[in-house]
Amino acid sequence: MRRIEIKGPLLPERVEEYVSAENPVRVIDAFVGELDLAKLGFERTEPRATGRPGYHPSTMLKIYLYGYLNRIQSSRRLEQETRRNLS
């Protein structure tokens, strides 16, 4: 059996390194990150102390905007997009 030595990291250290600087998801992330969702009327921006927390409204808004920009209307197709391989 041959031993293989790997020098350096096998994968990038951060997920952000997978996404190019020109990718529109960076604009969506920055835009939603600047919004005050509680002030805009989004509920559950702060998780409750008990039970399993739901998805954060900012995450859901980012997915919705991504679908809008890419003309994806199906919630099933949006789900598939969230599972897309980043490489």
Side-chain angles (χ1 to χ4, degrees):
M1 184 181 275
R2 257 174 82 183
R3 185 174 173 186
I4 300 173
E5 283 190 40
I6 299 174
K7 295 180 181 179
L10 196 56
L11 298 172
E13 293 181 18
R14 301 178 319 149
V15 173
E16 288 83 13
E17 294 176 16
Y18 281 112
V19 182
S20 69
E22 300 81 30
N23 197 312
V25 299
R26 292 195 180 270
V27 174
I28 295 171
D29 185 49
F31 174 74
V32 174
E34 292 296 318
L35 296 175
D36 184 355
L37 297 179
K39 209 177 231 185
L40 293 172
F42 284 81
E43 297 177 4
R44 300 185 188 150
T45 56
E46 296 297 322
R48 294 185 180 156
T50 60
R52 184 174 180 188
Y55 293 107
H56 195 276
S58 67
T59 303
M60 300 303 290
L61 181 58
K62 290 174 189 179
I63 293 170
Y64 179 81
L65 291 174
Y66 175 85
Y68 182 81
L69 289 175
N70 290 285
R71 297 183 180 148
I72 301 171
Q73 296 177 346
S74 165
S75 60
R76 288 184 181 165
R77 175 92 191 285
L78 273 175
E79 179 189 8
Q80 289 173 349
E81 287 292 313
T82 62
R83 296 171 191 251
R84 185 194 314 191
N85 188 351
L86 292 174
S87 60

XYZ file of all heavy atoms in Angstrom:
714
model
N 0.841 -1.169 0.000
C 0.000 0.000 0.000
C 0.893 1.242 0.000
O 1.807 1.352 0.794
C -0.914 -0.012 1.225
C -1.873 1.126 1.234
S -2.928 1.136 2.695
C -4.202 0.047 2.162
N 0.602 2.177 -0.908
C 1.362 3.417 -1.009
C 0.786 4.494 -0.117
O -0.424 4.630 -0.008
C 1.306 3.927 -2.439
C 2.557 3.653 -3.191
C 2.420 4.042 -4.620
N 2.630 5.478 -4.792
C 2.516 6.086 -5.943
N 2.145 5.414 -7.005
N 2.740 7.360 -6.051
N 1.639 5.214 0.487
C 1.209 6.316 1.347
C 1.250 7.615 0.534
O 2.243 7.913 -0.127
C 2.138 6.426 2.542
C 1.697 7.433 3.515
C 2.567 7.382 4.724
N 2.215 8.496 5.575
C 2.848 8.819 6.650
N 3.872 8.111 7.045
N 2.460 9.841 7.363
N 0.171 8.369 0.598
C 0.077 9.621 -0.139
C 0.149 10.764 0.848
O -0.613 10.807 1.812
C -1.236 9.698 -0.945
C -1.300 8.554 -1.937
C -1.362 11.034 -1.633
C -2.624 8.459 -2.663
N 1.052 11.688 0.600
C 1.153 12.867 1.442
C 0.471 14.035 0.755
O 0.677 14.280 -0.420
C 2.615 13.226 1.700
C 3.255 12.326 2.716
C 4.608 12.857 3.123
O 4.747 14.091 3.284
O 5.510 12.036 3.274
N -0.345 14.741 1.522
C -1.045 15.904 0.993
C -0.487 17.133 1.689
O -0.505 17.223 2.910
C -2.567 15.792 1.225
C -3.105 14.578 0.505
C -3.266 17.056 0.781
C -4.551 14.288 0.782
N 0.016 18.048 0.888
C 0.571 19.284 1.432
C -0.443 20.394 1.241
O -0.927 20.613 0.146
C 1.874 19.634 0.754
C 2.957 18.621 1.023
C 4.223 19.004 0.339
C 5.277 17.931 0.624
N 6.531 18.227 -0.038
N -0.771 21.070 2.298
C -1.742 22.150 2.232
C -3.152 21.638 2.427
O -3.403 20.431 2.468
N -4.082 22.544 2.533
C -5.478 22.139 2.768
C -6.099 21.495 1.531
O -5.790 21.870 0.399
C -6.186 23.442 3.119
C -5.343 24.512 2.522
C -3.941 23.985 2.526
N -6.938 20.521 1.762
C -7.622 19.823 0.679
C -8.786 20.659 0.151
O -9.070 20.662 -1.033
C -8.133 18.473 1.185
C -8.539 17.446 0.158
C -7.401 17.167 -0.805
C -8.946 16.153 0.838
N -9.429 21.380 1.046
C -10.553 22.240 0.684
C -10.255 23.660 1.141
O -9.460 23.866 2.054
C -11.841 21.750 1.366
C -12.309 20.355 0.997
C -13.460 19.944 1.900
C -12.726 20.298 -0.444
N -10.886 24.659 0.521
C -10.697 26.026 1.018
C -11.142 26.142 2.471
O -12.030 25.415 2.917
C -11.605 26.865 0.107
C -11.779 26.050 -1.114
C -11.729 24.619 -0.664
N -10.524 27.056 3.192
C -10.834 27.217 4.603
C -12.213 27.815 4.841
O -12.814 27.579 5.873
C -9.777 28.090 5.265
C -8.420 27.432 5.311
C -7.389 28.291 5.993
O -7.759 29.225 6.730
O -6.202 28.026 5.796
N -12.718 28.606 3.890
C -14.013 29.255 4.059
C -14.888 29.002 2.838
O -14.397 28.924 1.724
C -13.840 30.768 4.237
C -12.994 31.118 5.432
C -12.774 32.596 5.609
N -12.537 33.274 4.344
C -12.886 34.526 4.113
N -13.464 35.243 5.032
N -12.642 35.084 2.945
N -16.183 28.918 3.055
C -17.127 28.701 1.964
C -17.067 29.854 0.974
O -17.227 29.664 -0.237
C -18.562 28.521 2.517
C -19.569 28.458 1.397
C -18.646 27.270 3.373
N -16.800 31.066 1.450
C -16.745 32.236 0.590
C -15.722 32.090 -0.530
O -15.826 32.716 -1.568
C -16.440 33.497 1.409
C -17.589 33.951 2.273
C -17.665 33.205 3.591
O -16.703 32.501 3.954
O -18.702 33.307 4.251
N -14.704 31.252 -0.319
C -13.678 31.053 -1.336
C -14.193 30.266 -2.533
O -13.578 30.260 -3.592
C -12.464 30.372 -0.722
C -11.762 31.248 0.303
C -10.619 30.543 0.997
O -10.154 29.500 0.503
O -10.186 31.045 2.053
N -15.315 29.585 -2.390
C -15.921 28.843 -3.491
C -16.685 29.757 -4.451
O -16.894 29.417 -5.597
C -16.918 27.806 -2.965
C -16.311 26.545 -2.430
C -16.369 26.241 -1.085
C -15.715 25.626 -3.277
C -15.834 25.077 -0.584
C -15.177 24.459 -2.793
C -15.243 24.183 -1.443
O -14.727 23.033 -0.954
N -17.134 30.901 -3.948
C -17.997 31.797 -4.719
C -17.153 32.935 -5.277
O -16.473 33.632 -4.526
C -19.130 32.362 -3.833
C -20.047 33.258 -4.636
C -19.928 31.223 -3.205
N -17.229 33.132 -6.597
C -16.422 34.181 -7.224
C -16.884 35.567 -6.769
O -18.019 35.751 -6.333
C -16.514 34.071 -8.745
O -17.807 34.422 -9.181
N -16.012 36.531 -6.918
C -16.314 37.900 -6.494
C -17.421 38.522 -7.344
O -18.125 39.418 -6.888
C -15.055 38.754 -6.572
N -17.608 38.052 -8.569
C -18.623 38.602 -9.470
C -19.981 37.929 -9.330
O -20.935 38.317 -9.991
C -18.170 38.465 -10.929
C -16.889 39.180 -11.266
C -15.657 38.378 -10.862
O -15.712 37.144 -10.856
O -14.640 39.003 -10.527
N -20.090 36.919 -8.510
C -21.341 36.174 -8.382
C -22.421 37.051 -7.747
O -22.181 37.706 -6.731
C -21.109 34.921 -7.544
C -22.208 33.917 -7.701
O -23.381 34.257 -7.612
N -21.837 32.674 -7.940
N -23.636 37.068 -8.335
C -24.722 37.903 -7.797
C -25.142 37.556 -6.371
O -25.721 38.398 -5.688
C -25.884 37.652 -8.757
C -25.307 37.036 -9.958
C -24.013 36.407 -9.563
N -24.838 36.369 -5.894
C -25.223 36.027 -4.523
C -24.506 36.907 -3.503
O -25.012 37.128 -2.417
C -25.001 34.531 -4.194
C -25.837 33.644 -5.086
C -23.547 34.148 -4.277
N -23.371 37.436 -3.875
C -22.663 38.349 -2.976
C -23.442 39.656 -2.806
O -23.486 40.232 -1.734
C -21.261 38.623 -3.479
C -20.373 37.389 -3.404
C -18.925 37.772 -3.551
N -18.068 36.618 -3.471
C -17.547 36.153 -2.348
N -17.822 36.732 -1.208
N -16.750 35.102 -2.366
N -24.079 40.123 -3.881
C -24.898 41.336 -3.810
C -26.121 41.081 -2.936
O -26.480 41.905 -2.093
C -25.325 41.794 -5.221
C -26.292 42.963 -5.151
C -24.112 42.146 -6.050
N -26.751 39.924 -3.125
C -27.925 39.563 -2.322
C -27.539 39.509 -0.847
O -28.233 40.049 0.013
C -28.524 38.222 -2.784
C -29.075 38.350 -4.196
C -29.601 37.747 -1.819
C -29.480 37.010 -4.813
N -26.422 38.869 -0.553
C -25.966 38.733 0.830
C -25.700 40.102 1.456
O -26.125 40.373 2.582
C -24.707 37.865 0.870
C -24.239 37.587 2.273
O -25.067 37.183 3.110
O -23.035 37.787 2.543
N -25.033 40.977 0.721
C -24.736 42.314 1.246
C -26.007 43.137 1.429
O -26.166 43.828 2.442
C -23.772 43.031 0.308
N -26.921 43.045 0.466
C -28.167 43.808 0.536
C -28.998 43.392 1.747
O -29.414 44.226 2.554
C -28.972 43.622 -0.747
C -30.331 44.238 -0.715
C -30.486 45.610 -0.799
C -31.464 43.446 -0.594
C -31.749 46.192 -0.762
C -32.728 44.015 -0.556
C -32.866 45.394 -0.637
N -29.220 42.102 1.892
C -30.046 41.607 3.005
C -29.335 41.837 4.336
O -29.974 42.133 5.343
C -30.411 40.121 2.804
C -31.130 39.552 4.007
C -31.270 39.957 1.549
N -28.013 41.754 4.329
C -27.257 41.995 5.560
C -27.397 43.406 6.096
O -27.250 43.642 7.294
N -27.683 44.360 5.224
C -27.834 45.753 5.631
C -29.253 46.096 6.087
O -29.475 47.162 6.654
C -27.438 46.689 4.488
C -25.967 46.654 4.157
C -25.097 47.151 5.299
O -25.467 48.165 5.928
O -24.060 46.520 5.568
N -30.211 45.221 5.848
C -31.606 45.498 6.205
C -31.860 45.269 7.691
O -31.298 44.350 8.283
C -32.551 44.595 5.402
C -32.569 44.774 3.894
C -33.474 43.715 3.264
C -33.038 46.162 3.518
N -32.708 46.084 8.273
C -33.181 45.862 9.635
C -34.517 45.127 9.504
O -35.566 45.755 9.343
C -33.354 47.183 10.371
C -33.756 46.996 11.823
O -33.986 45.833 12.239
O -33.844 48.002 12.538
N -34.462 43.806 9.543
C -35.650 42.989 9.264
C -36.747 43.187 10.299
O -37.933 43.174 9.957
C -35.260 41.518 9.160
C -34.314 41.174 8.010
C -33.987 39.689 8.029
C -34.897 41.578 6.673
N -36.391 43.391 11.546
C -37.406 43.608 12.583
C -38.168 44.898 12.315
O -39.389 44.953 12.469
C -36.754 43.639 13.960
N -37.458 45.930 11.887
C -38.090 47.206 11.580
C -38.998 47.100 10.348
O -39.978 47.825 10.233
C -37.008 48.252 11.321
C -37.405 49.651 11.652
C -36.233 50.579 11.414
C -36.021 51.425 12.640
N -34.979 52.428 12.439
N -38.665 46.201 9.441
C -39.459 46.006 8.228
C -40.667 45.096 8.452
O -41.424 44.842 7.532
C -38.582 45.435 7.112
C -37.501 46.374 6.582
C -36.582 45.641 5.631
C -38.144 47.579 5.898
N -40.812 44.581 9.660
C -41.989 43.777 9.982
C -41.779 42.278 9.939
O -42.726 41.517 10.091
N -40.554 41.835 9.737
C -40.283 40.397 9.763
C -40.357 39.913 11.205
O -39.828 40.542 12.114
C -38.901 40.082 9.194
C -38.823 40.157 7.702
C -38.681 41.378 7.065
C -38.899 39.014 6.935
C -38.600 41.463 5.694
C -38.829 39.082 5.564
C -38.684 40.307 4.934
N -41.017 38.802 11.394
C -41.146 38.231 12.737
C -40.057 37.188 12.970
O -39.454 36.674 12.040
C -42.522 37.578 12.891
C -43.663 38.575 12.772
C -45.012 37.912 12.861
O -45.075 36.693 13.082
O -46.012 38.627 12.700
N -39.840 36.896 14.221
C -38.892 35.864 14.656
C -37.462 36.151 14.216
O -36.734 35.243 13.824
C -39.331 34.492 14.162
C -40.689 34.095 14.691
C -41.039 32.697 14.285
N -42.416 32.437 14.661
C -43.205 31.628 14.022
N -42.775 30.980 12.982
N -44.435 31.443 14.420
N -37.081 37.420 14.243
C -35.685 37.741 13.950
C -34.789 37.363 15.117
O -33.595 37.169 14.936
C -35.511 39.234 13.621
O -36.007 40.015 14.697
C -36.222 39.596 12.334
N -35.365 37.241 16.297
C -34.645 36.756 17.477
C -35.212 35.384 17.838
O -36.419 35.239 18.024
C -34.814 37.717 18.657
C -34.209 39.082 18.416
C -32.709 39.011 18.236
O -32.051 38.210 18.936
O -32.193 39.768 17.386
N -34.371 34.339 17.941
C -34.884 33.000 18.244
C -35.449 32.904 19.656
O -35.034 33.624 20.568
C -33.653 32.104 18.090
C -32.493 33.016 18.248
C -32.934 34.370 17.791
N -36.407 32.019 19.819
C -36.979 31.785 21.147
C -36.017 30.964 21.984
O -35.123 30.290 21.472
C -38.309 31.037 21.003
C -39.350 31.882 20.316
C -40.665 31.177 20.290
N -41.652 32.010 19.618
C -42.719 31.556 19.033
N -42.969 30.263 19.029
N -43.568 32.374 18.443
N -36.231 30.998 23.290
C -35.324 30.304 24.201
C -35.541 28.792 24.199
O -34.645 28.037 24.540
C -35.497 30.849 25.614
N -36.730 28.346 23.808
C -37.026 26.917 23.839
C -37.309 26.403 22.435
O -37.674 27.151 21.537
C -38.250 26.634 24.727
O -39.373 27.345 24.194
C -38.010 27.083 26.156
N -37.166 25.112 22.288
C -37.474 24.480 21.012
C -36.372 24.684 19.983
O -35.396 25.390 20.193
N -36.549 24.027 18.879
C -35.574 24.126 17.802
C -35.825 25.409 17.013
O -36.936 25.666 16.575
C -35.707 22.912 16.888
C -34.681 22.881 15.807
C -34.758 21.612 15.039
N -33.741 21.642 14.000
C -33.637 20.752 13.067
N -34.482 19.749 13.020
N -32.695 20.839 12.165
N -34.791 26.199 16.788
C -35.003 27.458 16.059
C -35.321 27.214 14.589
O -34.791 26.289 13.974
C -33.669 28.191 16.219
C -32.671 27.138 16.496
C -33.404 26.033 17.200
N -36.190 28.045 14.046
C -36.506 27.959 12.628
C -35.422 28.644 11.810
O -34.434 29.143 12.347
N -35.615 28.660 10.512
C -34.672 29.360 9.654
C -34.786 30.862 9.900
O -35.872 31.394 10.062
C -34.944 29.057 8.185
C -34.669 27.628 7.817
C -35.700 26.748 7.561
C -33.369 27.157 7.743
C -35.450 25.431 7.235
C -33.103 25.841 7.415
C -34.150 24.983 7.158
O -33.893 23.688 6.838
N -33.669 31.524 9.897
C -33.671 32.957 10.122
C -34.321 33.651 8.929
O -34.111 33.244 7.776
C -32.247 33.461 10.320
C -32.197 34.830 10.904
N -32.313 35.962 10.129
C -32.080 35.257 12.185
C -32.252 37.025 10.901
N -32.106 36.621 12.163
N -35.129 34.674 9.165
C -35.794 35.372 8.064
C -34.828 35.902 7.001
O -35.156 35.933 5.822
C -36.526 36.521 8.755
C -36.745 36.042 10.141
C -35.567 35.183 10.461
N -33.624 36.292 7.389
C -32.672 36.793 6.397
C -32.247 35.688 5.436
O -32.087 35.925 4.237
C -31.447 37.409 7.070
O -30.691 36.435 7.743
N -32.101 34.469 5.952
C -31.759 33.342 5.090
C -32.877 33.071 4.093
O -32.621 32.872 2.897
C -31.499 32.079 5.937
O -30.457 32.349 6.872
C -31.126 30.893 5.075
N -34.115 33.095 4.575
C -35.259 32.851 3.695
C -35.392 33.955 2.650
O -35.693 33.682 1.481
C -36.540 32.726 4.518
C -36.513 31.593 5.522
S -36.184 29.985 4.778
C -37.690 29.712 3.898
N -35.147 35.197 3.032
C -35.225 36.310 2.094
C -34.140 36.194 1.032
O -34.382 36.449 -0.155
C -35.114 37.641 2.832
C -35.212 38.899 1.982
C -36.534 38.934 1.208
C -35.061 40.135 2.841
N -32.946 35.792 1.418
C -31.858 35.599 0.452
C -32.221 34.531 -0.576
O -31.981 34.704 -1.776
C -30.566 35.210 1.171
C -29.956 36.334 1.967
C -28.762 35.844 2.757
C -28.261 36.889 3.720
N -27.118 36.392 4.504
N -32.813 33.441 -0.120
C -33.222 32.367 -1.038
C -34.315 32.861 -1.973
O -34.289 32.596 -3.184
C -33.670 31.122 -0.244
C -32.472 30.506 0.479
C -34.333 30.105 -1.163
C -32.835 29.434 1.464
N -35.275 33.600 -1.440
C -36.364 34.139 -2.256
C -35.818 35.088 -3.326
O -36.196 35.003 -4.502
C -37.377 34.862 -1.363
C -38.511 35.476 -2.127
C -39.587 34.717 -2.546
C -38.491 36.827 -2.461
C -40.620 35.285 -3.269
C -39.519 37.403 -3.179
C -40.580 36.623 -3.581
O -41.588 37.190 -4.305
N -34.924 35.998 -2.940
C -34.344 36.934 -3.899
C -33.498 36.220 -4.953
O -33.509 36.584 -6.127
C -33.510 37.995 -3.174
C -34.302 38.981 -2.330
C -33.352 39.883 -1.545
C -35.245 39.803 -3.185
N -32.773 35.197 -4.528
C -31.989 34.391 -5.479
C -32.923 33.770 -6.522
O -32.649 33.812 -7.716
C -31.214 33.300 -4.735
C -30.496 32.359 -5.655
C -29.224 32.672 -6.136
C -31.065 31.158 -6.063
C -28.560 31.817 -6.987
C -30.407 30.302 -6.915
C -29.153 30.629 -7.376
O -28.494 29.780 -8.232
N -34.034 33.216 -6.062
C -35.005 32.626 -6.976
C -35.601 33.659 -7.917
O -35.778 33.405 -9.106
N -35.887 34.838 -7.392
C -36.453 35.905 -8.218
C -35.474 36.319 -9.313
O -35.841 36.437 -10.482
C -36.816 37.105 -7.345
C -37.456 38.234 -8.096
C -38.819 38.198 -8.409
C -36.717 39.326 -8.514
C -39.417 39.230 -9.114
C -37.304 40.358 -9.212
C -38.655 40.311 -9.512
O -39.236 41.329 -10.221
N -34.214 36.508 -8.949
C -33.208 36.931 -9.926
C -32.926 35.861 -10.978
O -32.550 36.167 -12.104
C -31.906 37.301 -9.222
C -31.931 38.588 -8.406
C -30.612 38.771 -7.676
C -32.214 39.782 -9.297
N -33.096 34.597 -10.602
C -32.816 33.492 -11.519
C -34.083 32.892 -12.128
O -34.039 31.818 -12.719
C -32.002 32.410 -10.798
C -30.608 32.890 -10.515
O -29.786 32.970 -11.405
N -30.345 33.250 -9.268
N -35.208 33.584 -11.929
C -36.505 33.161 -12.484
C -36.882 31.745 -12.067
O -37.349 30.940 -12.861
C -36.486 33.276 -14.003
C -36.299 34.691 -14.467
C -36.355 34.796 -15.949
N -36.172 36.182 -16.332
C -35.596 36.558 -17.437
N -35.161 35.658 -18.281
N -35.461 37.822 -17.715
N -36.680 31.468 -10.787
C -37.053 30.170 -10.223
C -38.310 30.385 -9.392
O -38.274 31.068 -8.371
C -35.920 29.591 -9.352
C -34.656 29.412 -10.179
C -36.354 28.281 -8.725
C -33.438 29.045 -9.362
N -39.419 29.793 -9.826
C -40.688 29.989 -9.127
C -41.049 28.809 -8.233
O -41.800 28.954 -7.285
C -41.799 30.223 -10.138
C -41.590 31.493 -10.934
C -42.651 31.686 -11.997
O -43.396 30.771 -12.316
N -42.721 32.876 -12.546
N -40.519 27.664 -8.535
C -40.869 26.457 -7.796
C -40.090 26.364 -6.485
O -38.862 26.520 -6.460
C -40.558 25.229 -8.666
O -40.545 24.061 -7.904
N -40.811 26.104 -5.397
C -40.125 25.938 -4.111
C -39.250 24.688 -4.119
O -38.197 24.655 -3.476
C -41.130 25.880 -2.968
O -42.014 24.798 -3.145
N -39.649 23.677 -4.863
C -38.819 22.458 -4.960
C -37.522 22.762 -5.696
O -36.459 22.265 -5.340
C -39.586 21.348 -5.661
C -40.682 20.800 -4.797
C -41.375 19.651 -5.445
N -42.443 19.189 -4.573
C -43.412 18.407 -4.939
N -43.478 17.982 -6.198
N -44.332 18.030 -4.085
N -37.601 23.555 -6.731
C -36.390 23.919 -7.480
C -35.486 24.798 -6.616
O -34.267 24.669 -6.654
C -36.783 24.630 -8.764
C -35.645 25.166 -9.562
C -35.134 24.204 -10.619
N -33.896 24.680 -11.162
C -33.772 25.692 -12.020
N -34.846 26.306 -12.468
N -32.590 26.068 -12.441
N -36.081 25.685 -5.827
C -35.278 26.500 -4.908
C -34.557 25.613 -3.891
O -33.405 25.850 -3.559
C -36.151 27.509 -4.173
C -36.381 28.839 -4.853
C -37.353 29.678 -4.052
C -35.096 29.576 -5.080
N -35.257 24.600 -3.422
C -34.623 23.661 -2.495
C -33.435 22.985 -3.157
O -32.369 22.830 -2.555
C -35.616 22.617 -2.025
C -34.996 21.602 -1.085
C -35.905 20.428 -0.784
O -36.967 20.303 -1.409
O -35.518 19.615 0.076
N -33.579 22.584 -4.409
C -32.466 21.955 -5.131
C -31.298 22.920 -5.273
O -30.139 22.507 -5.151
C -32.928 21.510 -6.523
C -33.863 20.344 -6.505
C -34.443 20.035 -7.889
O -34.284 20.823 -8.817
N -35.084 18.902 -8.016
N -31.606 24.182 -5.503
C -30.536 25.181 -5.636
C -29.761 25.340 -4.329
O -28.573 25.586 -4.348
C -31.104 26.525 -6.068
C -31.554 26.572 -7.503
C -30.406 26.466 -8.488
O -29.400 27.161 -8.303
O -30.541 25.704 -9.452
N -30.435 25.209 -3.194
C -29.736 25.353 -1.910
C -28.801 24.172 -1.653
O -27.876 24.296 -0.859
C -30.721 25.463 -0.728
O -31.487 24.273 -0.638
C -31.610 26.668 -0.876
N -29.025 23.071 -2.324
C -28.187 21.894 -2.137
C -27.114 21.777 -3.215
O -26.394 20.793 -3.267
C -29.032 20.631 -2.156
C -30.010 20.567 -1.022
C -30.963 19.410 -1.214
N -32.042 19.482 -0.279
C -32.185 18.651 0.744
N -31.315 17.689 0.931
N -33.188 18.774 1.564
N -27.032 22.774 -4.082
C -26.095 22.718 -5.200
C -24.662 22.611 -4.698
O -24.281 23.231 -3.709
C -26.219 23.958 -6.069
C -25.339 23.840 -7.303
C -25.129 25.098 -8.038
N -26.311 25.886 -8.260
C -26.299 26.906 -9.082
N -25.235 27.221 -9.752
N -27.381 27.621 -9.243
N -23.882 21.842 -5.416
C -22.476 21.676 -5.087
C -21.755 22.996 -5.356
O -21.899 23.579 -6.415
C -21.890 20.555 -5.947
C -20.481 20.199 -5.537
O -19.872 20.872 -4.742
N -19.976 19.126 -6.095
N -20.977 23.455 -4.416
C -20.294 24.736 -4.560
C -19.079 24.682 -5.452
O -18.593 25.701 -5.884
C -19.864 25.252 -3.185
C -20.992 25.661 -2.248
C -20.418 26.008 -0.893
C -21.761 26.817 -2.810
N -18.565 23.500 -5.731
C -17.324 23.430 -6.507
C -17.550 23.632 -7.968
O -18.591 23.582 -8.511
C -16.648 22.096 -6.284
O -17.487 21.041 -6.693
